[in-house]
Amino acid sequence: MNIAKLKIGVLAALISTTAFSVSAKDFLNVSYDPTRELYDNFNKDFGAYWKKTTGQDINYKQSHGGSGKQARAVIDGLDADVVTLALAADIDEIAARGLVAKDWQKKFPQNSTPYTSTIVFLVRKGNPKAIKDWGDLIKPSVDIITPNPKTSGGARWNYLAAWAWAKHQPAGNDSKAQEFVRQIYKQTKVLDSGARGATTTFAERGIGDVLLAWENEAHLAVREQPGKFEIITPSLSILAEPPVAIVEKNVKKNGNENLAKAYLNYLYSPAGQTIAAQNYYRPRNAAVLAKYKNVFKPLKLVTIDKEFGGWSKVQKKHFENGGVFDQIVKINNSK
């Protein structure tokens, strides 16, 4: 099935069967830290498409922060029409409060993840600490920057990518993986609340030797400050799948049901997929991805389901109060 043609067909059906007013409407996308540039560009492109097709002006609004904090804000009343967060567990939390459909992952293709990413390392030009893979991060002289897994979705991907690498080493197991991850946090200089804050700490404030980063964040830093940084792609990382969902309770109240469906469907269109690639997110569309093959280096990727048993299990074991991450912090603080 051609997803792009299907999605455009759905858009056309939505538009042709619904009468729209021409007055401008507010529309809020609550997203995670590093998607500011992506949705700045996407909103302009989709807005032009929507205006041309329906005659309706939309007042697009964006909210960004650590993914976990953003999910909590929606639960606490932030009037999001859609959420485009860093991981499924955060949308599951919103769904558990009745704001998002329980089967939200079935509403859009690829379990409602229109683009993917992974975790890489950003180092200073010349790579002075000779960081080539995960094992190099715990050299005694290396200072690490990564955000806090309690508030940041990207930080949880960082944590799990490090855990998976350690477990995949010869004679690796969960005990050795936990000790490796503990050492990473022992050498972490700053735990920002979100991924963008961590990038600012590393790139703008000049703190740390290596940033554990979303792939798109690393590329953006290299583009915005040419000649200052290098991207190191590790031998193994994790397939990060940032999901999207309609906040159904809010769109019904706001009269934005069809707009929200069209907005998220457009992410799967060739235009939406191209915008994702231009902002360094890996598109799902194979033809678009092929055009950017020089940007996205191939690497071995583990998945959250096969490696860890899914987000529900991971969240409970590693990131809830008293979980493995809290145990790691407690041990580090006692030493």
Side-chain angles (χ1 to χ4, degrees):
M1 182 181 294
N2 188 313
I3 292 177
K5 289 183 179 179
L6 173 64
K7 294 296 105 181
I8 294 299
V10 171
L11 288 175
L14 284 169
I15 293 164
S16 64
T17 59
T18 308
F20 298 100
S21 67
V22 295
S23 58
K25 301 189 71 175
D26 289 339
F27 184 84
L28 175 60
N29 175 4
V30 173
S31 197
Y32 64 105
D33 256 338
T35 61
R36 290 171 174 82
E37 294 78 13
L38 167 63
Y39 284 106
D40 278 342
N41 295 330
F42 180 82
N43 288 348
K44 292 173 185 176
D45 195 273
F46 175 78
Y49 164 80
W50 190 253
K51 172 69 173 178
K52 181 179 179 180
T53 307
T54 70
Q56 186 179 42
D57 290 310
I58 305 298
N59 180 24
Y60 295 100
K61 297 181 178 180
Q62 297 172 223
S63 174
H64 298 274
S67 188
K69 291 179 66 177
Q70 292 293 83
R72 173 52 56 186
V74 174
I75 291 168
D76 290 343
L78 183 60
D79 195 22
D81 292 289
V82 297
V83 286
T84 57
L85 297 177
L87 43 87
D90 290 330
I91 297 182
D92 284 340
E93 286 292 319
I94 302 171
R97 278 32 177 222
L99 300 172
V100 169
K102 296 286 187 182
D103 62 346
W104 63 269
Q105 286 186 305
K106 297 180 180 179
K107 300 294 185 179
F108 298 95
Q110 302 284 357
N111 292 321
S112 294
T113 57
Y115 42 77
T116 69
S117 190
T118 190
I119 302 305
V120 299
F121 310 149
L122 189 68
V123 300
R124 305 199 185 280
K125 190 67 175 178
N127 193 7
K129 295 299 176 76
I131 295 168
K132 298 179 180 179
D133 210 345
W134 290 96
D136 297 320
L137 297 179
I138 59 171
K139 294 176 182 177
S141 63
V142 174
D143 290 337
I144 300 167
I145 301 298
T146 182
N148 191 336
K150 303 292 278 190
T151 55
S152 167
R156 277 171 268 181
W157 288 116
N158 294 349
Y159 173 109
L160 294 172
W163 189 288
W165 177 86
K167 194 172 178 180
H168 278 253
Q169 299 312 294
N173 55 40
D174 281 329
S175 178
K176 291 180 179 179
Q178 181 168 335
E179 175 56 25
F180 176 71
V181 172
R182 185 195 69 78
Q183 189 64 37
I184 283 180
Y185 285 100
K186 184 177 181 181
Q187 294 180 211
T188 296
K189 299 296 289 183
V190 179
L191 273 179
D192 288 287
S193 63
R196 180 55 58 87
T199 302
T200 299
T201 293
F202 181 79
E204 302 292 340
R205 297 173 61 196
I207 299 173
D209 301 304
V210 56
L211 171 70
L212 309 190
W214 289 100
E215 184 177 45
N216 59 284
E217 277 287 273
H219 278 285
L220 190 63
V222 169
R223 186 182 73 185
E224 292 188 346
Q225 299 188 54
K228 292 187 66 174
F229 308 112
E230 296 179 14
I231 296 172
I232 305 298
T233 301
S235 62
L236 179 147
S237 195
I238 195 162
L239 177 65
E241 298 179 292
V244 303
I246 296 171
V247 186
E248 297 189 357
K249 184 174 182 179
N250 291 345
V251 296
K252 289 178 181 178
K253 176 189 67 178
N254 298 335
N256 285 341
E257 292 172 272
N258 288 302
L259 173 59
K261 291 177 184 178
Y263 183 87
L264 294 185
N265 279 328
Y266 198 75
L267 285 167
Y268 293 89
S269 71
Q273 291 285 283
T274 298
I275 293 168
Q278 289 171 343
N279 286 274
Y280 308 113
Y281 292 86
R282 297 186 179 219
R284 291 289 197 179
N285 184 300
V288 176
L289 179 60
K291 295 179 182 179
Y292 292 86
K293 61 182 180 181
N294 293 331
V295 175
F296 302 112
K297 291 185 178 181
L299 74 162
K300 182 178 180 181
L301 296 172
V302 300
T303 67
I304 192 74
D305 290 335
K306 290 184 178 180
E307 192 73 20
F308 296 98
W311 271 113
S312 178
K313 185 175 180 180
V314 165
Q315 187 68 22
K316 183 177 181 179
K317 177 179 179 180
H318 290 274
F319 304 122
E320 286 189 359
N321 291 338
V324 176
F325 176 72
D326 283 352
Q327 296 168 30
I328 286 171
V329 172
K330 185 176 181 180
I331 293 170
N332 282 344
N333 288 340
S334 68
K335 293 186 175 181

